Amino acid sequence: MGKLAAGLAAAAAAAACAVAGVVVGRRVRIRRKWKRVVGVLRELEEACETPVGRLRQVVDAMAVEMHAGLASEGGSKLKMLLTFVDHLPTGSEIGTYYALDLGGTNFRVLRVQLGGRRSSILSQDVERQPIPRHLMTSTSEDLFDFIASTLKQFVEKEESGSEPSSVRARELGLTFSFPVKQLSIRSGILMKWTKGFAIEDMVGKEVVGLLEAALVRSGLDMPVAVLVNDTVGTLALGHYDDADTVAAVIIGTGTNACYLERADAIIKCQGLLTTSGCMVVNMEWGNFWSSHLPRTSYDIDLDLESPNPNDQGFEKMISGMYLGDIVRRVIIRMSQDSDIFGPVSSRLSIPFILQTPLLAAMHEDDSPELKEVDKILKEALEISEVSLKVRKLVVRVCDVVTRRAARLAAAGIVGILKKIGRDGSGGVTGGRSRSDVKMRRTVVAIEGGLYTSYTMFREYLHEALNEILGEDVAQHVILKVTEDGSGIGGALLAAAYSSGSVDNVQSL
């Protein structure tokens, strides 16, 4: 019996050792997998680092590229386009003006009544109209006849109860957010279509003339007073509300910036005369690039697989169109290196399946169990049953990508301020160093859902602004949210450039 008992004990011990070995082996494998995933995260964190020293290098690079873009056509990745807007609404504008905002698959018509005092918009009416898909690939005449018909119906409906004397002079601001080579405040040539439009007979044609011809065909007497893009409209609205507004930035699905520049600093247009001595410059800053930007392998892959490789590099790092897809690419890498997400979901391979609003919702999930993260992973990516530890990892990835974007956007804004001598360092304007400049109150108008709706993005941007400028200077720089610059701003510019005024820009 003793020998039997000893044998059984030995067998039990061996079995226990085997089980223990399996358990230990499993734990070792799990640790190794987790270590690989953490390695991916650490690599991402290091590649996305934006210490203040690096941000200041980006600031300097932005200012240098602005100079180069103003010096010659093609001299910079920044196009630095002239807008021929040499003065902005002041608040003294009176009357009723219309705006047409065309920049995507919907367009809007607006009627704005101005009271002659700053921020005195007495009333505004808006109507949104989807553009039938077939018109996006039809002819310019078909498209503008549809728009003119809609505008005429809107005008007749809104003015049906008005006195005849109050509607004698109607003028329109056209916000046209497609690539245009501006010829004057009232004219510009379409360079190419984007956003799903492909009307071949319109490329290379003057936009305002086509619209006005359609308005005549519809029987609507309404000359176009201005042709602008959405960023210029945002600057106009910002300046209407606050005279210290010197620049505007849109950070939403896409991104762009414009600012008020001295006319004599626009070297590529020597002899440009404006009565104000200034002109709004449309930077098209989404195309900015510098070796100082912290680029990752995920950014490189995204760019190569995009419809416009080697183009819009800055936009691909900071705008809402792309942030969610960068996070998706990181999750793919992690799922390939380990099985912490379970079997690789086929939905992970779909570009832009993880849109930035979902990223923001995961990033800002403050529930103890991160239930929103769990829900989005299940519903958007078909990744289910992941541990709390893994959900926290996803939140961290969202944080790294968003923080980098916000801090780079802040550096871009400071780059503009440096160019016009509003960053507290004296700046460089027109090639002349200035060290005797006293810091003045400086307002930047800002729009776009990434900034207005994504709290963490906004907080990171402000944090970086304070770091780059220093608190003493930063207190003089105000980022002020505007609402509907592309619509109301267009109407305000129509008022500022109504037929009662003259075109103040001349090129010698």
Side-chain angles (χ1 to χ4, degrees):
M1 285 293 291
K3 289 181 178 180
L4 179 60
L8 290 171
C17 286
V19 170
V22 170
V23 171
V24 170
R26 184 181 299 155
R27 286 176 179 169
V28 169
R29 286 193 297 275
I30 290 172
R31 286 197 191 102
R32 283 175 181 166
K33 289 176 183 176
W34 186 253
K35 188 175 180 180
R36 285 198 294 271
V37 169
V38 170
V40 172
L41 176 61
R42 295 284 175 264
E43 183 183 278
L44 177 71
E45 289 173 332
E46 290 173 8
C48 288
E49 280 184 353
T50 50
V52 69
R54 178 172 230 167
L55 292 178
R56 286 182 177 139
Q57 289 175 319
V58 174
V59 168
D60 291 342
M62 179 69 80
V64 167
E65 288 298 308
M66 290 172 72
H67 274 288
L70 291 172
S72 63
E73 291 293 347
S76 165
K77 293 282 279 186
L78 293 174
K79 293 184 174 65
M80 305 299 286
L81 301 174
L82 275 63
T83 66
F84 294 87
V85 174
D86 75 324
H87 64 275
L88 293 165
T90 62
S92 62
E93 295 79 11
I94 297 177
T96 300
Y97 295 88
Y98 288 85
L100 169 60
D101 178 17
L102 177 59
T105 54
N106 296 288
F107 73 93
R108 296 181 307 139
V109 289
L110 300 90
R111 180 176 186 258
V112 178
Q113 188 177 0
L114 306 176
R117 299 184 309 280
R118 188 170 292 282
S119 298
S120 177
I121 297 176
L122 302 180
S123 68
Q124 62 185 77
D125 303 287
V126 185
E127 183 176 306
R128 182 186 296 270
Q129 179 75 41
I131 296 175
R133 183 158 292 277
H134 74 276
L135 290 180
M136 296 170 65
T137 56
S138 182
T139 67
S140 56
E141 188 171 305
D142 288 343
L143 174 66
F144 281 124
D145 279 349
F146 175 75
I147 290 172
S149 173
T150 303
L151 179 57
K152 182 181 182 183
Q153 292 172 24
F154 177 80
V155 170
E156 289 174 345
K157 180 177 67 176
E158 295 299 326
E159 294 183 350
S160 59
S162 303
E163 293 294 325
S165 60
S166 67
V167 299
R168 281 182 304 183
R170 307 185 191 98
E171 292 188 87
L172 180 69
L174 172 58
T175 303
F176 189 77
S177 299
F178 296 94
V180 165
K181 182 179 180 181
Q182 199 97 16
L183 302 176
S184 73
I185 188 64
R186 298 178 176 86
S187 62
I189 293 172
L190 176 66
M191 298 165 68
K192 65 177 181 179
W193 283 112
T194 56
K195 307 172 189 176
F197 284 78
I199 302 173
E200 293 182 7
D201 77 320
M202 192 168 160
V203 176
K205 299 288 180 62
E206 202 283 302
V207 176
V208 172
L210 293 172
L211 173 59
E212 288 188 327
L215 292 173
V216 170
R217 286 194 297 272
S218 74
L220 181 59
D221 180 18
M222 184 180 286
V224 176
V226 292
L227 170 66
V228 295
N229 75 359
D230 51 357
T231 318
V232 177
T234 297
L235 177 56
L237 179 55
H239 195 271
Y240 180 77
D241 288 334
D242 191 321
D244 290 331
T245 304
V246 296
V249 177
I250 292 180
I251 311 177
T253 304
T255 184
N256 193 16
C258 69
Y259 72 105
L260 200 57
E261 179 59 275
R262 293 188 352 265
D264 64 359
I266 307 174
I267 301 169
K268 63 184 176 183
C269 287
Q270 289 186 345
L272 187 70
L273 298 178
T274 70
T275 54
S276 66
C278 297
M279 181 178 288
V280 176
V281 173
N282 169 20
M283 292 175 61
E284 293 293 336
W285 87 345
N287 207 40
F288 168 68
W289 189 253
S290 164
S291 61
H292 298 300
L293 293 172
R295 202 181 196 198
T296 70
S297 61
Y298 309 105
D299 299 303
I300 294 169
D301 290 343
L302 185 152
D303 180 56
L304 289 173
E305 295 168 21
S306 71
N308 55 340
N310 299 315
D311 201 23
Q312 298 296 104
F314 194 49
E315 181 171 81
K316 287 171 182 172
M317 296 179 81
I318 73 168
S319 78
M321 177 76 181
Y322 300 99
L323 299 189
D325 206 60
I326 295 171
V327 170
R328 177 189 69 88
R329 290 168 183 273
V330 177
I331 293 175
I332 287 177
R333 168 77 186 280
M334 289 178 167
S335 67
Q336 290 170 341
D337 283 9
S338 78
D339 59 359
I340 64 166
F341 292 101
V344 178
S345 166
S346 61
R347 289 181 68 82
L348 263 177
S349 63
I350 303 174
F352 301 102
I353 190 71
L354 185 64
Q355 296 183 349
T356 296
L358 298 178
L359 176 156
M362 291 195 294
H363 189 193
E364 297 180 339
D365 184 0
D366 58 1
S367 64
E369 298 298 315
L370 297 177
K371 291 181 179 178
E372 190 65 22
V373 177
D374 189 49
K375 178 184 175 185
I376 290 170
L377 290 176
K378 284 179 181 175
E379 294 181 357
L381 301 178
E382 294 182 352
I383 297 174
S384 56
E385 308 304 328
V386 295
S387 67
L388 179 59
K389 188 177 182 181
V390 173
R391 296 198 289 273
K392 288 180 178 178
L393 183 76
V394 171
V395 172
R396 179 58 186 154
V397 172
C398 294
D399 184 74
V400 171
V401 171
T402 297
R403 185 172 186 267
R404 179 189 68 165
R407 289 172 69 81
L408 290 177
I413 291 170
V414 178
I416 297 173
L417 301 183
K418 182 180 181 68
K419 170 66 182 69
I420 60 176
R422 295 289 192 106
D423 68 333
S425 69
V428 179
T429 58
R432 299 192 299 274
S433 296
R434 298 169 62 190
S435 56
D436 59 344
V437 176
K438 182 179 179 182
M439 192 63 199
R440 290 185 288 163
R441 181 175 181 271
T442 298
V443 178
V444 177
I446 190 162
E447 276 196 28
L450 195 61
Y451 180 85
T452 59
S453 302
Y454 193 169
T455 304
M456 290 299 294
F457 181 94
R458 185 168 62 250
E459 290 178 355
Y460 279 143
L461 192 154
H462 287 191
E463 175 187 72
L465 211 62
N466 285 330
E467 286 181 30
I468 299 167
L469 292 170
E471 289 187 9
D472 289 345
V473 174
Q475 65 181 323
H476 298 283
V477 176
I478 297 115
L479 301 187
K480 186 176 284 191
V481 174
T482 62
E483 293 185 17
D484 196 15
S486 61
I488 297 172
L492 291 171
L493 283 165
Y497 284 87
S498 67
S499 56
S501 66
V502 295
D503 191 343
N504 297 309
V505 183
Q506 301 176 40
S507 186
L508 297 182

